């Protein structure tokens, strides 16, 4: 999940979220080991200690224990209230997804060598990523570990490994993962973040052209997204960089002829039998990029504010309002069932409306306010900061302000978004109304 060692560089290039964890190879016939939780608070992979502890001492990132879903699962394993079943083909993958309430329909497949498991990832054997609102799980066929990244409301992204054989541990990881999953890892002053990216990838999973590599967000044009990823689902005449694995950089001379898509599944492209589904769902990919964009903005603002640094509140307001996200020119639809699974977690108002409702005709969501505003991470922001965010959001959605002139949807959809939030989180409306 984190580092790319294609050029043997210390400065790693990351294309996918989740930590740099685990190594390659495992015995598929190994008997399931006992699952236990590592008693050590964290594994610090930096000889000089965590830079965060020096630059952001108020957060105490490496000293504090996470309190998110992964930490809760670790506690349940530790006190033997839950047992993870071991499957000969997938190891603990299915048990983890079930315990963390992650639907397999969220599966996305990425074939770029962007983790320590470089030997196991190619176009023929991609890494599978599964996610829900706050947790991301990655699995590679035959690998000795499963990688987990999760959002802690106070700490931000936290990284763990679950070993697939031997004396299995659920272990928090720090320095090695965060050498990539840091917004300014080379210069300092950065904070933990999730990463998605797009580039030109060879059939062996290696990056063939650095010039085409970009970090992506929900503001990235579709035609530039998903290089190094498989993409299933329908998107009309819109193009992207998914499903393209080349032999050499010279194949890119006629890039437009390589673009392909609108597939119900991926069985014609690779052997999908080792995976939980034969999909790498386009709607899941779109939601992933939106969700991580907003989560990263929450973490950046939270860390800067708590440490007393200069902070940019507009960055999070814009992310929550989906400012600058591209319009779709044709309907997009997934084929994995992800859309249904995603909607089942909705908070709905009396009219049945939810911030999770999809549009998929001209934009991702029907209402231009991110569902991430209903998350624990937003609720954990300092109250004075939270109130200022909500005041600005309410002003934009009700038309009393127009600081952001590139918001999706019309005035009716924006007003509906504020009504939905007011109904489903009335304490937020009360904050705005308070004198």
């Amino acid at each position: 999940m984190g580092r790319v060692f294609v050029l043997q560089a210390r400065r790693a290039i990351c294309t996918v979220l989740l930590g740099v964890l685990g190594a390659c190879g495992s015995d598929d016939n190994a008997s399931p080991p006992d699952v236990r939780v590592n008693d050590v608070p964290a594994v610090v992979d930096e000889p000089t200690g965590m830079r965060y502890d020096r630059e952001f001492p108020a957060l105490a990132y490496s000293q504090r224990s996470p309190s998110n879903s992964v930490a809760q699962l670790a506690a349940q394993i530790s006190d033997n209230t839950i047992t993870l079943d071991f499957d000969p083909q997938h190891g603990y993958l299915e048990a983890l997804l079930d315990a963390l309430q992650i639907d397999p329909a969220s599966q996305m497949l990425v074939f770029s060598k962007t983790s320590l498991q470089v030997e196991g990832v190619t176009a023929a054997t991609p890494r599978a990523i599964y996610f829900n609102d706050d947790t991301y799980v990655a699995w590679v066929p035959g690998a000795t570990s499963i990688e987990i990244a999760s959002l802690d409301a106070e700490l931000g992204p936290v990284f763990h490994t679950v070993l697939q054989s031997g004396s299995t541990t659920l272990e928090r990881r720090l320095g090695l993962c965060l050498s990539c999953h840091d917004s300014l890892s080379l210069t300092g002053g950065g904070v933990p973040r999730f990463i998605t990216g797009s580039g030109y990838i060879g059939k062996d999973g290696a990056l063939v052209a650095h010039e085409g590599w970009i970090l992506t967000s929900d503001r990235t044009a579709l035609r530039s997204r998903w290089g190094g990823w498989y993409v299933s689902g329908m998107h009309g005449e819109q193009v992207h960089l998914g499903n393209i694995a080349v032999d050499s950089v010279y194949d890119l001379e006629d890039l437009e002829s390589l673009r392909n898509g609108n597939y119900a599944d991926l069985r014609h492209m690779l052997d999908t039998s080792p995976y939980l589904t034969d999909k790498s769902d386009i709607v899941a990919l779109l939601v992933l990029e939106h969700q991580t964009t907003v989560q990263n903005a929450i973490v950046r603002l939270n860390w800067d504010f708590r440490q007393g640094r200069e902070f940019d509140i507009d960055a999070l307001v814009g992310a929550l309002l989906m400012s600058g996200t591209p319009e779709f020119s044709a309907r997009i639809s997934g084929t994995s069932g992800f859309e249904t699974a995603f909607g089942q977690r909705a908070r709905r108002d009396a009219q049945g409306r939810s911030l999770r409702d999809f549009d998929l005709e001209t934009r991702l969501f029907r209402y231009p306010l991110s569902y991430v505003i209903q998350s624990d991470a937003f609720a954990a922001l300092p109250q004075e900061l939270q109130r200022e965010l909500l005041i600005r959001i309410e002003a934009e959605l009700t038309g009393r302000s127009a600081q952001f002139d590139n918001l999706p949807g019309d005035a009716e959809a924006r007003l509906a978004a504020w009504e939905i939030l007011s109904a489903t989180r009335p304490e937020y409306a009360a904050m705005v109304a308070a004198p």
Side-chain angles (χ1 to χ4, degrees), residues 60-188:
Y61 183 80
S62 67
Q63 285 82 34
R64 292 175 60 187
S65 298
S67 58
N68 60 6
S69 58
V70 177
Q72 293 165 11
L73 175 60
Q76 291 175 313
I77 294 172
S78 182
D79 62 20
N80 295 317
T81 59
I82 190 171
T83 300
L84 298 183
D85 293 330
F86 187 90
D87 175 76
Q89 182 175 13
H90 300 121
Y92 292 113
L93 174 62
E94 290 167 285
L96 277 170
L97 296 183
D98 183 61
L100 294 168
Q101 299 181 26
I102 298 175
D103 197 298
S106 66
Q107 176 177 287
M108 302 161 294
L109 300 179
V110 56
F111 56 87
S112 58
K113 290 184 181 295
T114 48
S115 78
L116 289 185
Q117 300 169 331
V118 292
E119 295 179 8
V121 177
T122 68
T125 56
R127 183 166 70 258
I129 297 175
Y130 308 87
F131 73 104
N132 61 14
D133 290 0
D134 57 18
T135 304
Y136 308 87
V137 175
W139 173 85
V140 179
T144 58
S145 66
I146 295 175
E147 302 165 321
I148 304 175
S150 56
L151 184 69
D152 183 85
E154 297 285 347
L155 299 177
V158 178
F159 304 93
H160 288 80
T161 308
V162 177
L163 298 179
Q164 291 275 57
S165 61
S167 180
T168 302
T169 63
L170 179 60
E171 186 173 59
R172 184 180 173 192
R173 306 304 296 258
L174 288 172
L176 192 58
C177 302
L178 292 160
S179 63
C180 280
H181 289 272
D182 179 297
S183 51
L184 296 169
S185 61
L186 297 180
T187 61

Side-chain angles (χ1 to χ4, degrees), residues 14 24 48 60 103 107 124 136 168 171 188 247 275 281 348 410 419:
C14 308
C24 297
T48 57
D103 197 298
Q107 176 177 287
Y136 308 87
T168 302
E171 186 173 59
D247 291 313
Y275 300 91
D281 195 77
R348 300 194 177 276
D410 57 18
E419 292 172 347

Side-chain angles (χ1 to χ4, degrees), residues 287-301:
V287 170
L288 171 74
E289 286 169 322
H290 168 72
Q291 180 171 291
T292 55
T293 295
V294 179
Q295 289 174 338
N296 287 340
I298 289 175
V299 174
R300 174 85 259 185
L301 180 58

